[in-house]
Amino acid sequence: MTPTRRTLLTAALGGAAVSGLPGAGAHAVSQQQTWQQKWAPSAATDGLKAFETVEDDRANSHPAGHPHILPEGNNFRFTMHTVDRDTMTDRQRQEVTGLRNGGSYLKWLPGQTWRLTYSMFIPSSLKATTSFTHVMQMKQPGNGTSPIVVQSLRRVNGVQTIELQLPISGTLIGRTDLDPLHDKWTDVDFQIKVGDKTAGSVRWILKSGGTTVIDKSATGVDTFLADRVRPKWGIYRSLGDTSGSLQNAYLLLTNLRGYQLV
């Protein structure tokens, strides 16, 4: 049976505006600044229209497995089979991009500060690998662009971890053990100030069962390439793993919310 999420994020995050919350960002939030809710999709009612684009087996490598990305009750489900291949055949990709509101989508631009909160269920079948396995990215739209931020499942000295990195500078924001987070819901609070060179900042918070697992931040970092920043979710992993960790797996996301600091 697919797990459901009974206890999500705090009730305060459900309102239209949240001011001065704990963990409000790597930068201080003044009394004049407010986290204003801009995006609150429902898997049950909005379905995949919640996102700007859907990248479901874009190489059509596994038609029998379609759909790989779908709403399932109140959750968004991403399924990855070992036979799935991306258009770049050394990797696998089942991802969604962007925050869509009706007929338009939200654009993250330099100088703006954005916040994403959601809950994710990582089953024990979705393992950390010796090569890349991303479950969230921040990128500039367009083919061939480099990731700006990645939340990844990575094996480090044989240990399964989940980490946040800024690939542009090779900056590791934080890392924690993945095993205790397997087969349960983990609350994610990700915040980013979009800025070129040293004008950006990020904060990354994971909570499990109401307990903070990790809370790491960085300021004076590069969080912009060109055009705009666009979030992505799903499973994007290399076939170059050497630990034997690739198997049929899935990822569940629920209660996605997007806020802008105004």
Side-chain angles (χ1 to χ4, degrees), residues 169-184:
S169 60
T171 303
L172 176 66
I173 303 301
R175 177 185 289 150
T176 191
D177 287 350
L178 177 62
D179 277 336
L181 304 180
H182 268 145
D183 298 319
K184 62 183 67 173

Side-chain angles (χ1 to χ4, degrees), residues 18-21 23-35 113 115 191 261-262:
V18 182
S19 179
L21 286 174
H27 52 283
V29 178
S30 73
Q31 292 181 349
Q32 289 75 36
Q33 293 176 305
T34 300
W35 287 112
T113 301
R115 182 180 193 178
Q191 301 150 39
L261 190 64
V262 298

Side-chain angles (χ1 to χ4, degrees), residues 229-240:
V229 174
R230 182 172 68 178
K232 304 185 75 172
W233 293 273
I235 302 174
Y236 178 38
R237 65 185 184 182
S238 165
L239 296 172

